[in-house]
Amino acid sequence: MKAGEQPSARELELHAAGAPPVPRLLLRSGGEALAMMVRRGFQPTVAPLELPFPPDLEGEAAERLAEHLGHYAFRLFLRGAILRRGSFSPTEATRYLGATQAAKVAEELVALGLAEREDGGRYRLRYPAHNFGPTLEWYVARELRGRLGFDVAVGVKFHAPEVGGDLDVVAAAEGKLLYLEMKSSPPKHLAADEVGAFFRRVRALRPHLALFVMDTALRLSDKVLPLLQAELSTQPPSPPRRVVREVWALTPHLYVVNARQDLMGNIAVAIAEGLRALSPPPP
């Protein structure tokens, strides 16, 4: 064929017939959340979480731990204990609990099998981890499954081109796909590039609802909301709408929540608000 000429129909057919078969990409084992990602053109994989307890924890032990993780003070203490990277006294693990309360939580960790006592009133985690983030993801995913009946996946790599990072929590129910970005550090540590990466993942995944979750009791309006608003495609953005407490709607499909009063309660409020926004208008 000469340069610039289009191949003939016969040449096209011969070329296609001689090509090797395309490999079949069968759906990996997993639930509806991962299947919805595959239908969007992704091939997600799930990485194991680095947790301060055995990853196969189930049954009564997992239920007891989840109940404790529902307490903000317990989460603060465990986060601090993880950051100590070794031996710690109860008061070294957190600046936000008094000595008596800190000692009580340290003993709760021992009772749960997460820590062991050392000489001199000190403790050490039995399963060291680098940060609290995966534990927060594990807890929220478990609660979404147990309280609201979602199919859930955590630590999901969806390998979208030019989009970095993992999807912390992906959940599916009622034919709707949810993506939750979990942040376990205070708002002062949130950087603009983290927010930008979150929006890139949202735009690539196109979930029905996206939640930006900060495990903090601090206000979101000082720093977090302005950073998120700056990334919205509509500029200038509409003012954020307070749903209740520190549950904010930036759009009908994007919510920001913190842990004031009840982290999971706030997440549930945001999900309910988002699902109502996706529903048909009343007759």
Side-chain angles (χ1 to χ4, degrees), residues 252-263:
H253 314 297
L254 172 61
Y255 295 82
V256 190
V257 308
N258 80 353
R260 185 174 295 178
Q261 294 191 14
D262 179 11
L263 175 67

Side-chain angles (χ1 to χ4, degrees), residues 5-68:
E5 289 185 357
Q6 295 293 325
S8 66
R10 176 178 173 75
E11 288 169 336
L12 288 171
E13 294 283 26
L14 287 171
H15 182 268
V22 177
R24 295 172 64 217
L25 295 176
L26 298 180
L27 185 66
R28 294 185 177 92
S29 60
E32 179 63 8
L34 294 181
M36 290 185 79
M37 293 182 61
V38 172
R39 295 183 198 112
R40 283 163 164 75
F42 302 108
Q43 291 297 319
T45 56
V46 177
L49 299 178
E50 186 187 67
L51 301 167
F53 51 88
D56 58 352
L57 188 71
E58 287 296 342
E60 182 181 350
E63 188 59 31
R64 288 171 55 218
L65 175 58
E67 184 176 348
H68 280 78

Side-chain angles (χ1 to χ4, degrees), residues 224-258:
V224 178
L225 291 179
L227 282 176
L228 287 159
Q229 282 188 288
E231 289 289 337
L232 291 173
S233 56
T234 302
Q235 292 294 332
S238 301
R241 178 175 62 88
R242 187 195 294 270
V243 180
V244 64
R245 297 186 296 274
E246 286 294 301
V247 179
W248 296 87
L250 295 188
T251 77
H253 314 297
L254 172 61
Y255 295 82
V256 190
V257 308
N258 80 353

Side-chain angles (χ1 to χ4, degrees), residues 70 75 139-140 143-144 147-148 211 213 243-247 257-273:
R75 297 199 302 274
Y139 165 66
V140 170
E143 295 299 284
L144 287 174
R147 292 194 196 187
L148 301 178
L211 275 65
V213 180
V243 180
V244 64
R245 297 186 296 274
E246 286 294 301
V247 179
V257 308
N258 80 353
R260 185 174 295 178
Q261 294 191 14
D262 179 11
L263 175 67
M264 280 309 306
N266 291 345
I267 289 174
V269 167
I271 291 173
E273 191 79 5

Side-chain angles (χ1 to χ4, degrees), residues 65-78:
L65 175 58
E67 184 176 348
H68 280 78
L69 285 168
H71 301 166
Y72 186 55
F74 184 88
R75 297 199 302 274
L76 280 177
F77 188 91
L78 180 54

Side-chain angles (χ1 to χ4, degrees), residues 127-143:
Y127 305 92
H130 284 90
N131 65 78
F132 180 68
T135 302
L136 183 63
E137 295 168 22
W138 179 89
Y139 165 66
V140 170
R142 182 180 179 84
E143 295 299 284

